[in-house]
Amino acid sequence: MPRDAGASDGGVLSPGGDGVSDGADGARDFTSGEYVAALRDEVEDGFGVVDPDGGSQAGRNATDLVIVTGVSGGGRSTVARALENVGYYVVDNLPQALLLDMAELAHAAQGAARRTAMVLDVRSHAFSTDLPGAVKSLRERGFNPRMVFVDADDEVLIRRFESVRRSHPLQGAGRLSDGIAAERKLLQEAREQADVLIDTSHLNVNQLRGRIEEMFGEEDTTQIRVTVLSFGFKYGLPPDADFVLDARFLPNPYWVPELREHTGRETDVSRYVLGQRGAITFVETYARLINATAPGFEREGKRYLTIAVGCTGGKHRSVAIAEELARRLREMRLSASPQHRDLGRE
């Protein structure tokens, strides 16, 4: 089955392989016509005979379950491959009716499939609109799943489908926009209840892969992970931001000829930005705020926090501030990493 276009070279995301995986990836692909026995065979082939009793109820919360869904063309297959890269056993295109069965099989594998990701796709005939209800059933059985939802702007999705000359799976006899609208309605509640919302409108394949690997690459998932995301206001606000910081009160290095072609990741630009009046106070104030609120977010079960730092174009001020803020958060013993959404767009 085809991959996302550009997957090998960091190109733009496309719906070419979204939600499915080719054989080279090793992701497990089950269509609606297959049964629980096929799932059991796959687990046994990879990890040995599973415990027929399914293990103890108390141990289910130790099974690291990730549920991936989202709009067609949003990048589900890239997320699936990134999860495989960090050690997850990935079941791609899983019918929702088999969600609980797969979770039980992963648990029964007695640790061999402790980290399992399940990718759900509306193209599966067994897909139900009640994904939040299915997640609730998992929690009632003692599991603690995390749901990742990938999204993108309608205009971006249309370009991705047109670039590979594919129709939307829910388009029918209508237009691309009709299929996208129908899918958004189907997934609205799942989007609202997702633990992680990732907007891929301005991400290429490698950027999305890196973000997922950063989020899920460590064994310890109890500590909140902070992404400090720089962006340019002229390209739009990041929809997945929890906090939005505005660095446009600082002088713009763009108007300094010797700095114009450089970025906020370079020493000269960083020194210029952080040397401006109020810059360090700005960073310190937000670092203290984030550090003070992080324990509360953790108590409420939030594992990922996105701090968006914006300037005009996302090249100078926001980048320098994001790098410095992430550094200070790490000094406060928070897991923080900078990412730069719009760097290189100008």
Side-chain angles (χ1 to χ4, degrees):
M1 299 183 187
R3 290 172 175 261
D4 284 344
S8 62
D9 59 5
V12 295
L13 290 162
S14 83
D18 202 11
V20 297
S21 173
D22 62 20
D25 287 334
R28 281 70 183 168
D29 184 7
F30 295 93
T31 59
S32 57
E34 293 177 303
Y35 299 96
V36 177
L39 289 174
R40 181 175 292 276
D41 289 343
E42 284 288 322
V43 176
E44 290 179 351
D45 287 345
F47 303 109
V49 179
V50 300
D51 177 6
D53 297 325
S56 65
Q57 175 77 15
R60 285 184 172 86
N61 60 6
T63 303
D64 185 357
L65 294 180
V66 174
I67 299 169
V68 180
T69 190
V71 297
S72 300
R76 288 187 306 269
S77 58
T78 300
V79 172
R81 286 193 291 272
L83 289 170
E84 283 191 328
N85 289 345
V86 294
Y88 279 83
Y89 179 86
V90 177
V91 182
D92 208 350
N93 199 24
L94 181 74
Q96 184 177 302
L98 300 182
L99 195 65
L100 183 57
D101 294 302
M102 185 62 221
E104 291 289 1
L105 287 172
H107 171 60
Q110 298 179 321
R114 186 184 65 81
R115 309 183 82 199
T116 295
M118 298 171 281
V119 184
L120 274 64
D121 181 358
V122 295
R123 285 173 287 189
S124 165
H125 297 299
F127 191 91
S128 163
T129 58
D130 190 27
L131 177 56
V135 173
K136 181 180 178 182
S137 297
L138 285 172
R139 297 188 190 281
E140 290 173 349
R141 293 290 294 270
F143 293 102
N144 187 27
R146 292 172 285 172
M147 183 158 62
V148 177
F149 192 101
V150 290
D151 202 353
D153 296 338
D154 286 5
E155 295 80 2
V156 173
L157 294 175
I158 289 172
R159 287 200 301 270
R160 290 175 182 173
F161 276 100
E162 289 180 342
S163 70
V164 292
R165 300 180 181 180
R166 291 175 65 110
S167 62
H168 190 281
L170 297 184
Q171 181 176 342
R175 300 160 54 203
L176 267 174
S177 57
D178 297 328
I180 292 171
E183 186 177 50
R184 288 201 184 282
K185 184 176 180 180
L186 185 68
L187 294 173
Q188 181 178 352
E189 190 175 359
R191 186 184 191 278
E192 292 172 351
Q193 296 191 21
D195 299 288
V196 180
L197 171 63
I198 299 179
D199 185 274
T200 69
S201 300
H202 304 290
L203 300 178
N204 63 33
V205 171
N206 286 341
Q207 290 169 331
L208 176 56
R209 183 184 298 121
R211 191 160 184 182
I212 292 297
E213 291 176 356
E214 179 70 30
M215 286 182 173
F216 295 92
E218 298 176 6
E219 292 293 324
D220 182 10
T221 59
T222 60
Q223 184 186 26
I224 195 167
R225 298 182 186 178
V226 183
T227 298
V228 187
L229 179 70
S230 73
F231 72 96
F233 277 99
K234 70 179 184 180
Y235 300 117
L237 290 170
D240 51 347
D242 297 293
F243 292 90
V244 177
L245 284 57
D246 190 345
R248 291 177 295 182
F249 73 96
L250 297 169
N252 193 346
Y254 178 86
W255 302 112
V256 180
E258 58 268 28
L259 299 179
R260 178 175 297 181
E261 301 304 319
H262 299 277
T263 76
R265 299 183 71 178
E266 298 177 61
T267 302
D268 288 345
V269 176
S270 179
R271 285 177 178 170
Y272 178 88
V273 172
L274 297 174
Q276 299 299 319
R277 182 177 179 181
I280 293 299
T281 301
F282 179 80
V283 173
E284 290 176 343
T285 300
Y286 276 106
R288 288 195 298 268
L289 172 64
I290 296 163
N291 188 49
T293 56
F297 283 119
E298 290 177 358
R299 287 193 297 270
E300 293 301 311
K302 188 174 182 64
R303 296 180 176 90
Y304 312 99
L305 198 63
T306 300
I307 314 299
V309 184
C311 63
T312 303
K315 179 179 180 179
H316 297 111
R317 293 167 290 181
S318 62
V319 173
I321 293 293
E323 292 279 343
E324 180 65 14
L325 180 56
R327 186 185 70 79
R328 290 178 181 255
L329 291 174
R330 289 194 296 270
E331 288 180 349
M332 294 175 172
R333 299 187 181 280
L334 288 176
S335 176
S337 61
Q339 294 190 13
H340 308 295
R341 190 190 76 176
D342 299 324
L343 194 60
R345 296 191 68 176
E346 291 188 342

